[in-house]
Amino acid sequence: MSDHIEMTKTTPLDFLMATVGGLAPPLIPIILITLLVIGIQHGLGTPDPAPLADQAVRDRIKPYGLSVAVDPNAPHVDRTGEAVYADVCSGCHETGALGSPKFKEKADWGKRIAKGYETLLDHAFKGFNKMPMRGGEPDLSDLEVARALVYMANAAGANFQPTLKKEYEPSAAELARGKAVYADNCASCHDTGLTGAQKLSDVKAWGPLLKEGKDALYAAAINGTYAAAPKGGNDKLSDADTRNAVEYMVAQVRAAMPAKPAAK
Ligand code: HEC
Ligand code: HEC
């Protein structure tokens, strides 16, 4: 007897099943990847929702987060008295803090208004007891301080106009004289910064001094300060020549300053 193994005949169906079954494992990832790619391409056609959400967030935080690029060289524009008051003076005067005369309070302002506009303006510029110089905001222009003062005083019954004293304008001859006096008596310190003198080229150091006004500078140059001798140490120098030198210095400093065409 012979052993014989009965082979079943392979039918075409068996063949097909085997082929598909063998191909299926590699085919599944291929199909999935294809679907994924199609999905991505489809997604590209629809608007991306992210910028919309981003815009919504920006709109929501705008009142708090709005940042304005400030150009330090931009020309200064004088604000209204109301705006300066709201920004600076109201910090104390709205409530009467530190004993300040309260906004619109005639009883607080009456006696002060009687001092007259010039005196009040002087106090607003230089400070007065607990009232800080320029309300503590040295960047305010003269005109802005004057407008804010007028805004407050008029709200309490005054009838002031925000005028500024015109500062002395030296003639060309006085400036030329000042230049010579400066070279002989002042340059030794103010060209070099010797003994802590403000160098003429140091615009930053002179900015706050100029704000005090020329009268204050004349007085400092003529009478001296705790750190500077009267008339640069030359007691033969006349007051007039000392003033001419100051005029020359102020003109030099102003010429070196970045343009600031605001009405002053
Ligand atoms: C930090 C608080 C404070 C701020 C800010 C402030 N003031 Fe005053 N101010 C005072 C006080 C305090 C007085 C009262 C001083 C006194 O009479 O002793 C006063 C008084 C004054 C007076 C009256 C001076 C006088 O001779 O009677 C004027 C004018 C004035 N302030 C203007 C201003 C202006 C203009 C601003 C804004 C640019 C301003 N103040 C901002 C505190 C302030
Ligand atoms: C020996 C050095 C020296 C000479 C010379 C000199 N100064 Fe000064 N000057 C100083 C010093 C130091 C300061 C700073 C004073 C201070 O900060 O209080 C100063 C400050 C000043 C100021 C600003 C004052 C202020 O308000 O603080 C003026 C204006 C001035 N000098 C004018 C003159 C004039 C004008 C001359 C010439 C006639 C002159 N100086 C000569 C040393 C000098």
Side-chain angles (χ1 to χ4, degrees), residues 84-85 88-93 96-101 108-109 111-113 115 119-121 123-125 128-137 140 144-150 152-153:
V84 174
Y85 170 76
V88 181
C89 321
S90 64
C92 292
H93 287 273
L98 303 177
S100 57
D108 285 2
W109 278 98
K111 264 195 201 147
R112 298 179 190 268
I113 289 170
K115 295 182 192 179
T119 304
L120 294 181
L121 185 59
H123 289 170
F125 283 154
F128 185 66
N129 299 327
K130 286 187 187 152
M131 157 78 195
M133 170 182 170
R134 288 174 194 263
E137 196 54 68
L140 290 180
E144 286 178 318
V145 174
R147 284 175 176 171
L149 155 63
V150 167
M152 280 200 285

Side-chain angles (χ1 to χ4, degrees), residues 185-186 188-190 195-198 206 209 217 220-221 225-228 231-232 237 242 245-246 249:
N185 299 279
C186 323
S188 55
C189 293
H190 286 283
T195 71
Q198 296 88 350
W206 283 99
L209 293 176
L217 295 180
T225 71
Y226 68 89
K231 301 179 176 178
L237 204 62
T242 310
V246 171
M249 292 165 82

Side-chain angles (χ1 to χ4, degrees), residues 73-77 138-141 211 254 257-264:
N73 294 319
H76 177 91
V77 177
D139 287 342
L140 290 180
S141 73
K211 280 246 166 92
R254 290 227 171 110
M257 282 183 154
K260 205 178 185 187
K264 278 234 159 190

